[in-house]
Amino acid sequence: MKRRLVVGNWKMHGTARDLAEARELTRLPANANRQVVICPPATLLHRMSRIFEGTGLSTGGQDCHSGESGAHTGDISAAMLLDAGASFAIVGHSERRSDHGETSANVQSKAQAACKAGLAAIVCVGETEEERDRNIELEVVGRQLLESVPENANGDNLAVAYEPVWAIGTGRTPSIDDIEAVHEFARKQLVERFGASVGNSIRLLYGGSVKPNNAEAISNSRDVDGCLVGGASLNATSFAAIAKAFG
Ligand code: PGA
């Protein structure tokens, strides 16, 4: 059985005092069936990684640059994330795609850089509300997947997060049938591209308004191997409840 992956994305939230939530989270009982990760702002990454040492919990960055180093003011390389204690890097989150104009080609370069540095990339894809209304979500997700996931992807160095843009931070989620339809489609594409063994080993996460009260249903959905959680990951109690629903 694949190990479930539960990832919290703190986005641009959190200063030193919020590390209390990370300390609280260390009380979550270890469970071999699930991997629990928090991606805090870069300023907290090192301190949070220290707090998680020896607990089985992991940290990740929310983005990385595609280059190894250089004149890129404000950017952070994958090696720097690793150096600060991270094991993962989210790339291509819809907020990065819209706030910073990141294309799927950019996302693929970032994912490649993350893997090369020894991190596992969490590649985000998902349709907008307008695209969902036009019933072209599979086409959109298919294209993003194809263009964002690098050739050397496998179950150890990469996970995919399906996050419908209209479900992020809104309290709205697709129906379980709709989540399963997109995940089934994504799985098929990964298997066609990478072969059954690798394609089936890449974990598919659902993201967008995952809360303690819907985590169980989402966790039990076909082809859902974990989740990416924004708002509900800021609080240790709600994030722990979600993690427990996944393993
Ligand atoms: P949300 O965010 O859980 O607050 O909807 C999810 C995400 O953006 O990863």
Side-chain angles (χ1 to χ4, degrees), residues 7-9 11 90 93-95 124 161 163-165 167-173 206-211 227-234 242:
V7 184
N9 172 11
K11 308 191 180 183
I90 298 172
H93 189 282
S94 66
E95 287 151 15
C124 302
E163 298 206 301
V165 177
I168 296 175
T170 60
R172 295 161 57 204
T173 54
Y206 167 78
S209 296
V210 177
K211 307 287 177 201
C227 60
L228 181 52
V229 185
S233 72
L234 295 171
I242 292 169

Side-chain angles (χ1 to χ4, degrees), residues 42-123:
T43 48
L44 294 181
L45 193 50
H46 182 64
R47 280 174 283 179
M48 193 181 287
S49 301
R50 293 288 295 271
I51 290 169
F52 286 173
E53 258 170 28
T55 65
L57 299 166
S58 309
T59 60
Q62 298 176 8
D63 175 51
C64 69
H65 194 273
S66 56
E68 287 180 15
S69 63
H72 303 291
T73 303
D75 279 317
I76 298 176
S77 73
M80 290 169 183
L81 296 176
L82 188 81
D83 183 55
S87 315
F88 291 82
I90 298 172
V91 291
H93 189 282
S94 66
E95 287 151 15
R96 298 287 317 172
R97 291 178 188 260
S98 64
D99 292 359
H100 300 274
E102 290 184 7
T103 64
S104 289
N106 299 143
V107 176
Q108 178 172 157
S109 307
K110 287 170 180 242
Q112 234 154 5
C115 297
K116 192 169 169 212
L119 300 171
I122 300 167
V123 175

